[in-house]
Amino acid sequence: MSDIFLNIMDRTSIRNFVIIAHIDHGKSTLADRLLERTHTIEERRMKAQYLDQLELERERGITIKMAPVRMIYNVNNSGTPNSEYILNLIDTPGHSDFSYEVSRALEAVEGAILLVDVTQGIQAQTLANFYSAKKAGLVVIGALNKVDLIAHTNPLVLAETRRELAALIECEEGDILEVSGKTGKNMPILLDRIITRVPPPREGNAGPLRGRALVFDSFYDNHKGVVASIRVCGGTFRASDDAYLIGTKTRAKIKELGIFVPEMKPQDMLSDGEIGYIATGIKDIEKIKIGDTVSVFDDARVSKDSLSRYALLGYSEPKPVIFVSFYPEEANEYDLLRQSLQKLKLNDSALSIEPDQNEVLGRGFKIGCLGRLHFEITTERLRREFKIGVINTFPSVRYLVKVREKKEMIPIVKPEELPQEYIEIQEPMIALDIIFPRKYLSSVLSLQKKFRFSKMHTETMGERTKFSAYMPLVELVSDFDDCVKSVSEGYASFSYELKEYALADIARVDLLVSGKPIPGLSRFLPRESLEREARRMVEKLKDLLPRQQYTQPVQASAYGKIVARADIPAIRKELGAFGKNGGDRTRKMKLWKKQKRGKERLKERSDATISPAVFKELLKKE
Ligand code: GDP
Ligand code: MG
């Protein structure tokens, strides 16, 4: 059999698909059942949400990273042309802050299972993910999940959800599967559906190259160096080949190539349509770019200069919306922080990183994130995966400031950078969609003032209401998500898209402890709520900061005057060194000591230690 024939044979037995859904609708649990059914994981190694491999994912019960895994499925059903199929599944995160992960996974597959939790119905991310899958041209299989809970579900709601999902996907109601990730109900039917409905990968076109593949993800492995997750889009890659990255013009010998099971498993080759990885041994992390095209070619047949012609489309750059500065807790750990951030970026291409300076905190980095959860997860991953603690500033958005008529607007992220005199400030806006059962309409409307909604509009979607409004992006940094959840008893969900800038009536507020400004605690606040917010922050800080041997005044200043004040009383007896920073007890001893030193260093310089937990508390609205 010729090589080419072999590859074509291979391709028809491959199915590449993702599982997409709103957060907590059961993607990772459904993936468990598929892993079991296909005997991919030995029984004794099986654990819930197996593909959530990061410690943080397991602890928080959420998926942060997409996770590819190859499964082999033996079909005993005579209706399918092949008896054995290669199923490449990519599990995806549900939270909107990680939508860049989802969008990249979509480009590596042909099909999507769209799950809807029957007890929750269609939610904002169900819609957002569905539209992304449709835009990527994927075949979508709709499934109602958690049907083991049907006894607790109103049958009318179930029928309605089925109708809505069928209408969304534009399929027959009878085509919507009922599954349970808990009991494994209807897994054989789901697997059959994947094989019969999801097309095998189209024959790729490598042109004169021997192999061409899309880099859809990457990570750093301590033994293998930089590893690129790839989807082959034409030709083959062999373990003995030299790989060439077209975008970064980098040649490297392939050290190892293989598939995810979900751990890395070496193979001899990867062919057209397959999903796998190549480890290149490249040391310079900058050389691997997500969305780049990796190729193999014969120098005799192709000139390097003509290669850009064969580059795949890749991905559009993610747009960071929230900016925060990170400084190492220990000044001598600046280089470690830089390296750690680079490695993290390799695995989280949505992060943007720029060098930064702060008078008190020294050298650091300005980080751009896709949302508040993304920012929190970033600090946590630094701490756990790289054992480095950071001091951070208030998360901010990018404002535009006009200093003089007819002059260009200046982008400003840090309140400290706001010029003394300016004509106007503009802030980024988002168009927000909130979806919830009808009865919560008035509760959702009650958020209008607090979060500065404008251009409001409501629409009926069956049993649910879709509420649309404009909101300043910066409101997302506060506890908007918690408030939406609490006013709707957990039944509302939202998605948003960035819109244009609008005139903002905001001012800069600084916080001072014992008369000294606390670095990173300055922030922009809307003028109408400035005094109230300032008072609240001062009261909160008073409670959150550790007491000292003497009374410490906490003050807020805006437009050159003090707008709020509270005193931290003195203590007579030494308290626990960490006050209310929370969660410290479980940390490793080494890190604990390091942080203690770092905090002491900060304390010497500014009298106050601000942990991310304190920031989070301060950001809450009441
Ligand atoms: P993901 O965020 O979509 O990946 O959701 P997970 O798979 O992490 O599941 C979220 C929660 O729903 C977990 O507590 C699961 O145990 C639970 N869950 C998932 N599938 C089912 C199901 O079919 N039935 C029931 N009763 N619970 C489920
Ligand atoms: Mg998950």
Side-chain angles (χ1 to χ4, degrees):
M1 240 188 310
S2 81
D3 222 17
I4 294 170
F5 189 59
L6 239 181
N7 289 341
I8 293 170
M9 284 280 290
D10 280 346
R11 228 176 6 91
T12 63
S13 63
I14 299 176
R15 297 294 181 274
N16 298 323
F17 65 100
V18 287
I19 307 182
I20 51 176
H22 193 74
I23 194 163
D24 275 348
H25 282 208
K27 296 173 288 296
S28 302
T29 306
L30 188 80
D32 288 347
R33 299 293 84 76
L34 296 178
L35 292 173
E36 265 170 14
R37 270 266 150 195
T38 54
H39 311 288
T40 307
I41 311 288
E42 292 165 57
E43 222 172 283
R44 67 183 168 85
R45 288 201 303 141
M46 196 61 205
K47 55 186 179 193
Q49 287 101 28
Y50 190 88
L51 295 177
D52 286 343
Q53 302 244 344
L54 293 178
E55 181 184 292
L56 198 55
E57 294 185 308
R58 304 206 61 79
E59 202 169 285
R60 292 209 178 196
I62 57 167
T63 307
I64 296 163
K65 278 299 298 173
M66 65 164 115
V69 59
R70 168 183 302 205
M71 305 175 285
I72 303 288
Y73 184 51
N74 281 302
V75 187
N76 8 26
N77 172 347
S78 56
T80 46
N82 299 352
S83 60
E84 197 172 84
Y85 286 85
I86 294 173
L87 305 181
N88 287 309
L89 151 72
I90 307 182
D91 186 21
T92 63
H95 194 283
S96 60
D97 280 17
F98 304 108
S99 59
Y100 192 57
E101 289 288 315
V102 183
S103 69
R104 288 186 352 254
L106 296 179
E107 294 297 323
V109 299
E110 283 72 37
I113 301 174
L114 178 64
L115 281 188
V116 174
D117 178 339
V118 280
T119 64
Q120 299 286 315
I122 290 177
Q123 301 280 324
Q125 295 312 313
T126 317
L127 296 179
N129 284 326
F130 169 72
Y131 293 126
S132 309
K134 202 169 150 188
K135 208 166 128 201
L138 306 189
V139 167
V140 177
I141 297 170
L144 299 176
N145 191 26
K146 309 200 187 180
V147 295
D148 56 288
L149 299 174
I150 255 172
H152 310 278
T153 313
N154 180 340
L156 288 177
V157 173
L158 177 71
E160 178 64 27
T161 307
R162 172 191 290 279
R163 240 193 320 278
E164 284 177 19
L165 185 56
L168 177 68
I169 302 180
E170 294 176 9
C171 69
E172 300 290 323
E173 279 180 41
D175 277 351
I176 303 291
L177 295 175
E178 288 186 7
V179 299
S180 164
K182 183 167 179 193
T183 64
K185 183 177 175 188
N186 285 340
M187 284 306 116
I189 297 179
L190 178 62
L191 283 161
D192 264 11
R193 202 56 77 83
I194 293 164
I195 286 163
T196 52
R197 296 280 171 88
V198 177
R202 267 186 311 276
E203 184 175 0
N205 177 12
L209 310 174
R210 276 201 281 126
R212 181 163 90 137
L214 172 70
V215 178
F216 66 87
D217 200 10
S218 60
F219 54 95
Y220 193 84
D221 180 273
N222 282 337
H223 305 291
K224 301 188 172 78
V226 176
V227 180
S229 307
I230 61 167
R231 154 70 198 258
V232 183
C233 301
T236 46
F237 287 74
R238 287 167 207 279
S240 54
D241 283 330
D242 272 2
Y244 186 83
L245 286 146
I246 295 180
T248 61
K249 299 190 168 60
T250 309
R251 188 188 282 272
K253 175 127 203 55
I254 295 178
K255 275 178 82 180
E256 183 181 305
L257 127 183
I259 54 174
F260 297 103
V261 290
E263 296 77 20
M264 287 185 274
K265 182 175 174 192
Q267 303 279 296
D268 295 331
M269 67 183 232
L270 286 174
S271 33
D272 195 10
E274 287 196 278
I275 288 175
Y277 69 87
I278 57 173
T280 56
I282 293 176
K283 290 275 166 341
D284 185 355
I285 289 169
E286 302 276 311
K287 299 280 190 238
I288 298 268
K289 288 260 186 298
I290 300 292
D292 200 353
T293 304
V294 57
S295 60
V296 287
F297 60 92
D298 297 319
D299 286 299
R301 288 194 62 197
V302 192
S303 87
K304 250 203 238 158
D305 301 331
S306 68
L307 278 174
S308 58
R309 227 183 292 161
Y310 308 109
L312 295 157
L313 274 181
Y315 302 112
S316 49
E317 287 278 313
K319 285 198 197 80
V321 293
I322 284 176
F323 300 88
V324 55
S325 292
F326 284 172
Y327 304 92
E329 281 185 341
E330 300 207 54
N332 62 10
E333 287 190 338
Y334 173 79
D335 283 329
L336 181 65
L337 178 59
R338 184 172 47 77
Q339 287 157 13
S340 306
L341 280 169
Q342 275 180 346
K343 283 184 188 163
L344 189 59
K345 163 127 179 125
L346 196 61
N347 193 225
D348 181 359
S349 50
L351 270 187
S352 78
I353 302 166
E354 278 171 47
D356 193 24
Q357 280 277 1
N358 179 297
E359 255 174 58
V360 183
L361 300 171
R363 287 198 297 167
F365 296 91
K366 188 169 90 190
I367 308 295
C369 297
L370 298 188
R372 196 186 68 178
L373 181 64
H374 188 209
F375 146 64
E376 278 172 40
I377 294 288
T378 303
T379 47
E380 277 291 293
R381 288 188 72 181
L382 281 172
R383 190 164 74 70
R384 288 165 194 246
E385 292 165 43
F386 301 95
K387 306 278 175 278
I388 182 157
V390 292
I391 298 163
N392 63 272
T393 55
F394 254 120
S396 178
V397 298
R398 183 178 275 138
Y399 294 93
L400 293 177
V401 180
K402 189 184 260 182
V403 187
R404 236 171 289 141
E405 273 317 332
K406 294 201 188 128
K407 273 265 178 174
E408 268 173 41
M409 310 285 286
I410 312 169
I412 281 184
V413 168
K414 293 196 267 180
E416 296 85 356
E417 289 169 352
L418 184 69
Q420 284 296 326
E421 283 175 28
Y422 55 87
I423 298 173
E424 68 178 49
I425 305 184
Q426 294 186 5
E427 64 180 332
M429 303 293 290
I430 56 174
L432 184 70
D433 282 337
I434 313 180
I435 296 174
F436 46 86
R438 254 198 309 247
K439 65 174 180 179
Y440 297 108
L441 181 61
S442 60
S443 331
V444 171
L445 284 173
S446 73
L447 299 175
Q448 178 191 351
K449 213 160 170 244
K450 199 155 150 192
F451 293 102
R452 299 188 282 152
F453 293 162
S454 57
K455 301 190 189 175
M456 294 184 289
H457 175 77
T458 55
E459 203 180 299
T460 305
M461 284 182 23
E463 289 301 305
R464 268 179 289 267
T465 296
K466 181 164 118 186
F467 169 81
S468 311
Y470 269 48
M471 180 175 87
L473 171 66
V474 70
E475 300 295 348
L476 276 189
V477 183
S478 65
D479 57 346
F480 178 69
D481 44 357
D482 295 340
C483 286
V484 168
K485 281 270 171 268
S486 83
V487 298
S488 65
E489 297 171 307
Y491 282 105
S493 61
F494 69 92
S495 63
Y496 63 90
E497 103 187 65
L498 274 180
K499 291 288 173 188
E500 58 280 7
Y501 275 72
L503 195 63
D505 191 10
I506 55 175
R508 166 187 162 176
V509 179
D510 298 316
L511 286 174
L512 305 90
V513 174
S514 301
K516 283 188 228 160
I518 306 182
L521 267 197
S522 297
R523 63 190 290 202
F524 290 114
L525 283 174
R527 203 177 293 255
E528 59 180 28
S529 59
L530 186 138
E531 293 208 10
R532 181 164 38 88
E533 268 296 304
R535 237 186 341 268
R536 210 181 51 77
M537 288 206 303
V538 160
E539 285 297 327
K540 272 240 163 96
L541 254 191
K542 182 194 82 176
D543 295 336
L544 290 165
L545 292 177
R547 294 178 178 197
Q548 303 287 357
Q549 312 290 350
Y550 46 88
T551 306
Q552 307 167 89
V554 182
Q555 296 162 306
S557 81
Y559 354 90
K561 60 175 198 225
I562 299 297
V563 291
R565 170 180 175 139
D567 287 339
I568 308 175
I571 34 155
R572 259 158 266 141
K573 205 168 93 211
E574 187 61 34
L575 280 181
F578 283 96
K580 293 189 185 173
N581 287 349
D584 292 303
R585 257 157 300 159
T586 54
R587 295 183 197 178
K588 298 204 170 65
M589 253 344 250
K590 191 173 146 219
L591 186 63
W592 191 82
K593 280 191 187 139
K594 238 159 114 181
Q595 289 200 333
K596 194 168 161 201
R597 281 202 304 279
K599 286 191 173 131
E600 276 161 5
R601 186 174 66 103
L602 181 62
K603 219 180 284 182
E604 281 161 25
R605 293 181 307 192
S606 67
D607 275 345
T609 64
I610 311 296
S611 71
V614 173
F615 272 97
K616 204 172 159 203
E617 278 304 308
L618 283 173
L619 285 170
K620 282 189 184 159
K621 293 199 174 194
E622 254 138 62

